[in-house]
Amino acid sequence: MAQVIVTGGAGFIASHVADALIAKGHTVAVVDNLVTGFQENVNHKTKFYEADIRDAKRMDEIFDEFKPDFVDHHAAQMDVRKSTVDPVFDAQCNILGSLNLILNARRHKIKKFIYVSTGGAVYGDVKAEVLPLNEEYPVNPICQYGISKHTVEHYLFLEKYLHGQSYTVLRYPNVYGPRQNPKGEAGVTAIFVGQMLRGEQPKIFGDGSKTRDYVFISDVVKANILAIESDFNGILNIGYGKGTSDQEIFDACAAATV
């Protein structure tokens, strides 16, 4: 069994990843600053560090104390609107914070670095007729968030090239499931359900025909486990491969909350 650091482990997706790792017998340390995560999401069997990945000194201390075999890096500034308003903050979190982890991974010679990127933001403005995309499709992000997330992929490629650091990049689609924040910036499923349960009128922007690729949380968790257990190095798009419209999501949520 291995020692695994899970960053962002108090958040929606990474807390489920931490649970799955513990269920498989691994020892897990969660690193989260609790800005968007919640203490109640943190599995009590983990070692919890309330810390910010931008704090290089604190990251050094955590790696020295925990001595990880793997890093599963979910922590991020993920609000597209905030990245547009404050691109410096976005870069500090997503690029510089990630570099603190990557440099510590090299220093401790970890077995593998799992990095969570974004499928929706790195590819930019994509025509419907070319969907679903494969990993070779040109990357042209049109928001600062997409740029910062993609930049880290380059750093990981360079670590592999220069220092032999094994890594897997998982480009996520729209993930949904338990613990998703209904008041968050992303996650239309949770937003619709939250509004319906509060007796509010959900709003669909446009005519409801806009589609996204939705994947249930357990499938994303499985991808993380496979990434840790496999020898694969490189980038993987995670997705259902089929679009679901806003109207379909609305109808499904309405039927479930009647």
Side-chain angles (χ1 to χ4, degrees):
M1 294 296 101
Q3 303 267 111
V4 186
I5 284 180
V6 177
T7 69
F12 159 46
I13 299 174
S15 65
H16 285 280
V17 173
D19 289 349
L21 289 166
I22 287 172
K24 291 183 73 69
H26 299 296
T27 301
V28 177
V30 164
V31 177
D32 199 300
N33 62 8
L34 297 181
V35 171
T36 57
F38 300 93
Q39 179 77 58
E40 56 264 34
N41 288 343
V42 180
N43 191 307
H44 71 278
K45 293 182 180 179
T46 66
K47 170 70 174 176
F48 178 60
Y49 295 96
E50 185 176 348
D52 194 310
I53 61 172
R54 293 175 295 168
D55 186 340
K57 182 174 182 294
R58 187 64 183 126
M59 292 306 104
D60 290 350
E61 293 170 349
I62 290 171
F63 272 73
D64 289 344
E65 179 182 316
F66 188 71
K67 297 178 174 57
D69 300 303
F70 296 88
V71 172
D72 194 306
H73 178 29
H74 281 72
Q77 189 302 112
M78 60 172 289
D79 189 324
V80 173
R81 292 169 298 186
K82 186 171 181 62
S83 80
T84 302
V85 173
D86 193 352
V88 173
F89 175 75
D90 180 78
Q92 288 171 338
C93 295
N94 293 348
I95 300 175
L96 299 183
S98 296
L99 275 173
N100 287 333
L101 303 172
I102 291 170
L103 293 175
N104 266 301
R106 183 201 305 172
R107 187 165 63 89
H108 281 266
K109 297 179 172 59
I110 71 166
K111 295 177 181 177
K112 197 172 193 184
F113 197 107
I114 313 302
Y115 172 64
V116 172
S117 188
T118 167
V122 299
Y123 293 112
D125 192 10
V126 177
K127 304 258 187 247
E129 55 265 25
V130 301
L131 298 173
L133 304 180
N134 62 29
E135 291 80 3
E136 284 70 48
Y137 192 84
V139 170
N140 289 300
I142 55 173
C143 65
Q144 290 83 346
Y145 168 70
I147 292 170
S148 66
K149 293 297 286 184
H150 180 58
T151 297
V152 179
E153 298 179 9
H154 289 285
Y155 279 108
L156 287 169
F157 174 84
L158 189 62
E159 284 296 304
K160 173 66 174 173
Y161 182 79
L162 295 178
H163 306 289
Q165 176 62 69
S166 181
Y167 75 97
T168 297
V169 173
L170 302 176
R171 288 179 178 163
Y172 281 178
N174 289 266
V175 185
Y176 68 97
R179 300 180 194 159
Q180 191 165 29
N181 184 0
K183 296 183 179 180
E185 184 268 341
V188 68
T189 306
I191 292 171
F192 279 173
V193 169
Q195 290 172 331
M196 291 174 183
L197 291 176
R198 293 193 299 271
E200 300 171 4
Q201 177 64 54
K203 181 183 292 185
I204 295 178
F205 295 94
D207 62 3
S209 63
K210 182 172 77 274
T211 62
R212 294 184 178 90
D213 190 326
Y214 292 92
V215 173
F216 189 60
I217 181 65
S218 62
D219 296 315
V220 169
V221 169
K222 185 177 180 180
N224 279 265
I225 299 300
L226 290 173
I228 286 175
E229 294 177 346
S230 78
D231 295 327
F232 175 81
N233 280 264
I235 298 168
L236 291 171
N237 290 339
I238 305 300
Y240 177 46
K242 181 179 176 182
T244 303
S245 72
D246 290 348
Q247 187 63 55
E248 289 176 292
I249 295 295
F250 179 90
D251 292 342
C253 292
T257 55
V258 170

